[in-house]
Amino acid sequence: MIADVMAHVTRERLAEAVCGLVDVASPTGDEAPAAAWLAGYLADAGLAANVQPLDDRQANAVAVLSGKDGPSTLLYAPLDTFTTGDPAHDLPWAGPEMRPDMLARATVHGDLVQGLGAGNPKGHAACVAVALAALARSGVELPGDVVAGFGAGGMPSFAVDSGGRRNTGHGVGAGFLLERGYTTDYAVIAKPGWHVSHEEVGLVWLDVLVPGIHTYVGSRHRLPYDNAVARAGEVAAHLEQWLAEYAERNEHETMRPQGIVSSVTGGFERLAASTPAAVRLRLDVRITTAQSPAAVTRELRAEMRRFGAEVAQVAAIPATHTSPRSPIVLATVGAWEAVTRERHEPVTGNSGATDANILRMRGVPTARVGMPKVTAGPDGGPVDFTLGMNLVSLDAMARLVEVLVRTVFAIAEVEKGAASTREAG
């Protein structure tokens, strides 16, 4: 059965899927065109596919392939990109100029496809689409229903261009997908990492408000002077050290929760003659299943008292865990081992958060599996964070598709084996 399905997974089909998806811009909050493209791609493969709107600009894509009465499986990937592809939003924060890989324009370089989100998330979404299309084309009978879900708002992001909207990121599409008709017994999320994960960190976003005195440059020597910008620099340096120690102190199971000072806001840009009364530092602090957002907020608040700074929580997603003995984890690990012909060992020190947290919070046991990051660019040069997000290997895509296909067939058998073990016990 695996061979019958994989016969429909060709280099041309993989390239068609990832290039077509990369060519459709999908910043957080504006995924509707990409969702429409995917629904059309899957419909062309004979699947019952549709667009699931959240509003007039944001949408999921979903397709269902019916099987027998065995457990149902969701193969899931998000659609939105980390940066937008628009220099008005991306520069100078993502770099001094728009490189080719930062644009929603796919180019093929041998085994590599380059373009905005080609590696994460669009290469992974393309793998889910190609896997479901291959299952459909093969005509092989499935043990249970298989749903391909492609979620809007998967990035840890607030609205890029809100237009009055506020709830556009942090897994909004994944929650809507399950809430509105597509909850399954199990799920596999396709996100980077050539291994299988059964748990991952959550996050809490915190604002640190550093106080100062609003005054005038011409009166610096005559009036009380306390520059919040200068103080914020001291606080930021302290926080970077504190967050490094925080990660070591809170390592738990496979998770090592990192944190960063991500942005600084304060002062009148039009009025350089004055100092601000406050400067805001925003932090992303990752958390493990042994922590809670409220507890971490209190911990940072206590640390910031020495600087007279206030701390406010602005976003939170709890960490989640699926038992490593769950049928979905065992099936995905078995599929990975069959493809690699290696023994799977859990990878530790992880600090990446995905929509897997949303799926698990909605009651769906979830495994995560994905592709390794590309290590050399099209010119053979080094790969930085941004290029790593925007490059994918067609060979790695084929291997991930096979892992997904094998997982679909393995879940029912693993579930039966687990039931037999319980009965024998």
Side-chain angles (χ1 to χ4, degrees):
M1 288 189 297
I2 301 299
D4 288 344
V5 176
M6 292 304 296
H8 296 274
V9 180
T10 65
R11 183 185 186 280
E12 290 71 26
R13 282 174 172 160
L14 290 166
E16 176 193 8
V18 68
C19 289
L21 197 49
V22 167
D23 284 344
V24 183
S26 56
T28 302
D30 286 277
E31 302 90 345
W37 187 93
L38 268 171
Y41 173 88
L42 292 167
D44 288 345
L47 285 151
N50 60 78
V51 174
Q52 186 187 44
L54 280 71
D55 59 34
D56 59 347
R57 292 165 53 188
Q58 190 165 35
N60 299 328
V62 63
V64 180
L65 186 57
S66 298
K68 296 191 292 187
D69 293 332
S72 56
T73 308
L74 169 66
L75 303 180
Y76 179 88
L79 287 177
D80 53 321
T81 53
F82 200 72
T83 52
T84 69
D86 181 350
H89 292 299
D90 295 347
L91 301 184
W93 319 120
E97 60 183 2
M98 295 296 288
R99 304 184 320 205
D101 66 290
M102 297 166 65
L103 303 173
R105 185 174 63 244
T107 56
V108 180
H109 308 267
D111 179 57
L112 298 179
V113 175
Q114 176 179 281
L116 180 60
N120 183 13
K122 294 194 173 182
H124 289 77
C127 286
V128 170
V130 169
L132 197 71
L135 288 165
R137 290 185 175 111
S138 71
V140 172
E141 189 174 40
L142 300 173
D145 292 351
V146 180
V147 178
F150 307 90
M155 289 296 172
S157 173
F158 288 153
V160 176
D161 178 14
S162 68
R165 301 175 304 161
R166 295 291 180 266
N167 189 25
T168 59
H170 289 291
V172 61
F176 194 80
L177 183 81
L178 299 187
E179 177 186 303
R180 300 300 177 91
Y182 298 100
T183 294
T184 54
D185 294 299
Y186 301 108
V188 179
I189 183 171
K191 284 284 281 183
W194 187 228
H195 61 275
V196 180
S197 300
H198 64 280
E199 62 184 1
E200 60 188 58
V201 299
L203 58 85
V204 56
W205 284 8
L206 299 163
D207 280 353
V208 176
L209 200 65
V210 181
I213 296 175
H214 174 55
T215 191
Y216 168 57
V217 61
S219 301
R220 172 174 176 160
H221 58 306
R222 292 193 173 101
L223 295 172
Y225 183 78
D226 185 2
N227 192 335
V229 176
R231 292 191 66 195
E234 297 172 5
V235 174
H238 175 82
L239 282 168
E240 283 289 301
Q241 180 60 44
W242 183 84
L243 288 165
E245 296 166 355
Y246 164 93
E248 291 186 16
R249 188 169 67 251
N250 290 288
E251 187 164 6
H252 178 71
E253 301 294 341
T254 65
M255 300 162 286
R256 186 170 187 172
Q258 304 296 320
I260 57 168
V261 180
S262 62
S263 65
V264 182
T265 305
F268 297 103
E269 291 187 7
R270 67 170 183 84
L271 198 60
S274 71
T275 57
V279 167
R280 187 190 73 195
L281 305 176
R282 178 156 289 176
L283 282 64
D284 181 324
V285 184
R286 299 299 163 101
I287 60 177
T288 73
T289 52
Q291 299 171 280
S292 73
V296 173
T297 302
R298 286 192 296 272
E299 185 179 353
L300 184 64
R301 190 169 288 144
E303 184 67 24
M304 289 293 97
R305 285 196 186 107
R306 72 175 73 177
F307 297 96
E310 299 178 5
V311 175
Q313 183 187 127
V314 294
I317 302 290
T320 60
H321 170 96
T322 295
S323 168
R325 304 307 301 170
S326 169
I328 188 59
V329 177
L330 294 174
T332 311
V333 167
W336 186 93
E337 291 182 338
V339 172
T340 63
R341 299 187 180 183
E342 298 175 2
R343 180 178 175 80
H344 183 270
E345 296 292 342
V347 174
T348 60
N350 301 312
S351 192
T354 73
D355 282 351
N357 284 328
I358 309 302
L359 302 178
R360 293 190 187 107
M361 285 193 293
R362 293 276 181 167
V364 182
T366 301
R368 170 182 170 175
V369 67
M371 293 177 281
K373 288 257 181 111
V374 175
T375 57
D379 61 356
V383 175
D384 60 13
F385 167 77
T386 300
L387 186 56
M389 297 283 279
N390 301 335
L391 274 181
V392 71
S393 158
L394 294 171
D395 179 65
M397 288 182 68
R399 285 182 289 147
L400 177 57
V401 169
E402 185 175 349
V403 170
L404 297 175
V405 168
R406 286 180 177 274
T407 300
V408 165
F409 288 108
I411 291 171
E413 293 303 315
V414 172
E415 196 175 66
K416 286 178 185 176
S420 298
T421 300
R422 287 194 298 270
E423 290 174 5

